[in-house]
Amino acid sequence: MMDLENLLSGPLSRLNPRVADWAYAGLRRIPTVRRRLETEFDGLLSTLREAVKPYRDELPSYRRLPQQGMDRADVLAQLELLAAREEHRWKDGYVSGAVYHGDEDHLEFLGTVAELHSQANPLHADLWPSAIKFEAEIVSMTAGMLGANQTADEIVGTVTSGGTESILLAMKAYRDRGARRGIKRPEIVAPVTAHVAFDKAAQYLGLTLIRIPVDESFRADVPAAAAVIGRNTVAVAGSAPAFPHGTIDPIEELSTLAAERGVGFHTDACLGGFVLPWAEKLGHPVPPFDFRLPGVTSMSADTHKYGFASKGTSVIVYRGRELRRFQYFTAANWPGGLYSSPTLAGSRPGSLSAACWAAMVSMGESGYLEATARILETAAAIRSGIERIPELNIVGDPLFVVAFGSETLDMYRVMEHMNGRGWNLTGLQSPPALHLAVTLRHTSGGVAERFLGDLQAALADVNTHAHDRSGVAPVYGMAAMVPARTVVGELLERYIDLLYEV
Ligand SMILES: Cc1ncc(COP(=O)(O)O)c(C=O)c1O
């Protein structure tokens, strides 16, 4: 690994990124360099393979359909074994985010609901009007939570499959509204910390994404946004809060600016949509971020995160039906019949919408308030514990996503050592840091204390094993080198290939 790092941090690192990419492409064609790269890739991927393919030698693999169908009891036995093997880390609170509720009775309840509505498909509204009822009410309840009741405008939306799809669809709506207004080269503006789903949307939809910097508190730099909004801008976005450091952008200033320039403004509240309204009610200082701000024209809020629904649902909400219509797809002359669909997928899992609705109505305001109080209390305890560790510093001003870095330690090695102790934290870049998105899994059973104890121990491990450079730590090191990004991009592609190896 160090070889590859040396290669990339050498002369290439002094080149302008475009030239470096070009030089890398050239270097890659030289057989010795190519062979060395392949060896390095193989080495890295074999470590990753161990982590994501643990069952290879243990359980039968199905490269082809079994000739005779397996006995259902045997299938279930395999599934039970796999679930049992994988549940300990998230159940016992070793994981950042990922499973946001996870109490057994809650999961059992969601499972029962999904089973009852297992065949439902909202695409066929006439067959499953219940699915349509659930979705309309999910949107309405979410909108109400996000300020819809305190604005004269109608706030409408749809249920989607997740945060990424919500963002993608909002950007599609702005692109298509822009096209109606004559914008041929649409641009969107978002802080560097806004979720990478905005890059995905730009790539899929042919938009140009202009990333603006954040200030020293990791919040979007408003003058920088003002400087780049131009006649091709179709939307500006900010996060409440942003995934990396849990910081809330200055949504009021950004949305006012967008309104003054006549462009849309999207608050990405995928992470915070089901926390911030309750945090505010609990008296925490939450800056305005929702439809109470007149410049906010759309928002995304993920039911499958702090909404405590099963994975696979999110909500996208708009100010007014006109904007929402730009999201829709309709076809009037297809031989297969008249077709219309609100979101990316055609057929959709009605079971997930039913479970989402059930999660929301069973939690109610009181349930979300109580959950938020517990999460914020735990996050504050973790934050102050980290603040007491001299080698570490808190990044930004976290409420429930606690990010921390260090002036002296390699945070990716801290991540590796935490991993060795069972933890699954998120690695962040620019600056190198880690975060723990606090969920209900962390709020009981002494998890916060265990986290802080393991963190102290991991720091000691890093100091004791100063020369150990294993795991993904070096890959993060490489990604920080501009010309190495192409290599890391290639590695990430190979990683996805690896996931689909039987
Ligand atoms: C702020 C924010 N936006 C968008 C997303 C994307 O959500 P998903 O993974 O559900 O597509 C996330 C995911 O963590 C997020 O934190």
Side-chain angles (χ1 to χ4, degrees):
M1 191 61 240
M2 285 305 290
D3 278 355
L4 188 55
E5 267 185 275
N6 289 340
L7 172 75
L8 296 162
S9 60
L12 274 183
S13 67
R14 290 190 284 279
L15 296 174
N16 149 317
R18 281 218 180 138
V19 179
D21 278 352
W22 173 82
Y24 168 69
L27 267 176
R28 232 185 157 307
R29 283 196 286 274
I30 301 169
T32 46
V33 175
R34 194 167 171 83
R35 275 197 295 277
R36 202 159 116 193
L37 274 173
E38 290 298 334
T39 313
E40 297 292 347
F41 280 142
D42 286 349
L44 274 166
L45 287 169
S46 71
T47 316
L48 295 172
R49 189 175 280 114
E50 273 171 41
V52 296
K53 300 280 166 184
Y55 306 120
R56 269 196 164 159
D57 302 328
E58 229 182 291
L59 292 172
S61 299
Y62 300 93
R63 235 166 246 289
R64 301 161 160 222
L65 276 171
Q67 215 152 42
Q68 291 296 322
M70 278 171 68
D71 195 88
R72 283 183 181 159
D74 293 342
V75 178
L76 286 175
Q78 280 195 30
L79 288 164
E80 272 161 18
L81 182 133
L82 293 170
R85 280 274 289 272
E86 291 171 5
E87 69 186 14
H88 141 73
R89 281 178 97 189
W90 63 260
K91 256 193 185 164
D92 295 343
Y94 280 99
V95 177
S96 172
V99 176
Y100 293 81
H101 193 301
D103 281 2
E104 237 154 70
D105 54 349
H106 182 74
L107 299 186
E108 206 179 301
F109 171 61
L110 296 187
T112 307
V113 175
E115 195 180 324
L116 278 170
H117 287 261
S118 72
Q119 299 308 300
N121 178 358
L123 185 67
H124 302 291
D126 49 345
L127 287 178
W128 287 285
S130 60
I132 299 306
K133 167 186 155 65
F134 298 145
E135 295 204 340
E137 291 176 8
I138 292 167
V139 171
S140 179
M141 290 188 280
T142 307
M145 205 181 66
L146 299 175
N149 304 333
Q150 289 163 68
T151 165
D153 296 321
E154 189 188 20
I155 307 299
V156 297
T158 70
V159 174
T160 75
S161 64
T164 300
E165 189 185 350
S166 289
I167 290 169
L168 218 96
L169 290 172
M171 296 306 113
K172 177 199 169 324
Y174 289 119
R175 183 196 67 175
D176 292 358
R177 185 175 73 168
R180 179 77 58 86
R181 294 174 176 178
I183 297 175
K184 294 197 175 67
R185 294 173 187 275
E187 293 173 359
I188 51 178
V189 174
V192 286
T193 47
H195 197 270
V196 71
F198 288 96
D199 289 281
K200 201 172 191 179
Q203 199 186 93
Y204 282 20
L205 298 167
L207 302 161
T208 300
L209 170 60
I210 301 175
R211 290 277 193 179
I212 52 162
V214 288
D215 61 19
E216 61 290 342
S217 63
F218 292 87
R219 298 163 78 239
D221 180 337
V222 181
V228 298
I229 298 175
R231 47 171 210 269
N232 288 328
T233 309
V234 292
V236 178
S239 314
F243 174 81
H245 317 105
T247 40
I248 304 173
D249 283 320
I251 303 294
E252 184 163 14
E253 292 88 331
L254 286 172
S255 61
T256 304
L257 178 66
E260 281 166 6
R261 305 286 183 92
V263 301
F265 184 86
H266 181 85
T267 303
D268 176 13
C270 281
L271 200 53
F274 280 80
V275 177
L276 299 183
W278 316 115
E280 188 184 333
K281 282 203 163 64
L282 289 164
H284 290 267
V286 176
F289 69 102
D290 61 19
F291 287 109
R292 288 172 290 179
L293 296 171
V296 171
T297 50
S298 61
M299 293 187 71
S300 43
D302 286 358
T303 36
H304 72 185
K305 293 191 175 81
Y306 291 95
F308 305 134
S310 308
K311 272 285 171 280
T313 61
S314 163
V315 178
I316 172 72
V317 260
Y318 297 97
R319 188 182 292 279
R321 290 179 187 222
E322 194 206 333
L323 186 54
R324 179 175 61 174
R325 276 207 194 128
F326 287 105
Q327 173 187 309
Y328 297 166
F329 173 81
T330 60
N333 58 357
W334 179 45
L338 296 176
Y339 188 96
S340 66
S341 123
T343 61
L344 223 54
S347 290
R348 291 185 296 117
S351 54
L352 292 182
S353 297
C356 176
W357 178 86
M360 289 177 77
V361 295
S362 68
M363 290 295 298
E365 292 199 5
S366 58
Y368 285 121
L369 267 171
E370 198 215 315
T372 303
R374 281 168 59 192
I375 287 168
L376 295 184
E377 194 183 310
T378 307
I382 288 177
R383 175 185 177 156
S384 58
I386 294 173
E387 279 168 344
R388 284 195 295 275
I389 302 176
E391 292 125 303
L392 299 180
N393 56 274
I394 291 286
V395 183
D397 183 17
L399 203 53
F400 58 97
V401 178
V402 186
F404 53 99
S406 173
E407 296 283 320
T408 50
L409 294 173
D410 179 342
M411 290 310 289
Y412 305 125
R413 293 189 53 231
V414 175
M415 180 167 77
E416 286 296 331
H417 284 286
M418 282 300 271
N419 204 11
R421 289 168 188 277
W423 290 90
N424 189 287
L425 304 179
T426 307
L428 310 172
Q429 309 186 81
S430 325
L434 306 179
H435 87 203
L436 177 75
V438 178
T439 70
L440 281 180
R441 302 312 319 140
H442 304 118
T443 59
S444 57
V447 175
E449 294 75 19
R450 189 179 68 209
F451 171 78
L452 292 168
D454 281 347
L455 187 55
Q456 294 269 22
L459 298 182
D461 290 343
V462 172
N463 288 324
T464 323
H465 308 283
H467 301 296
D468 171 22
R469 304 276 289 149
S470 59
V472 297
V475 184
Y476 272 101
M478 243 168 54
M481 293 180 245
V482 173
R485 290 212 178 123
T486 324
V487 185
V488 176
E490 188 171 340
L491 180 70
L492 294 175
E493 285 175 1
R494 288 178 185 229
Y495 172 71
I496 300 177
D497 288 345
L498 162 68
L499 298 181
Y500 285 92
E501 281 174 16
V502 177

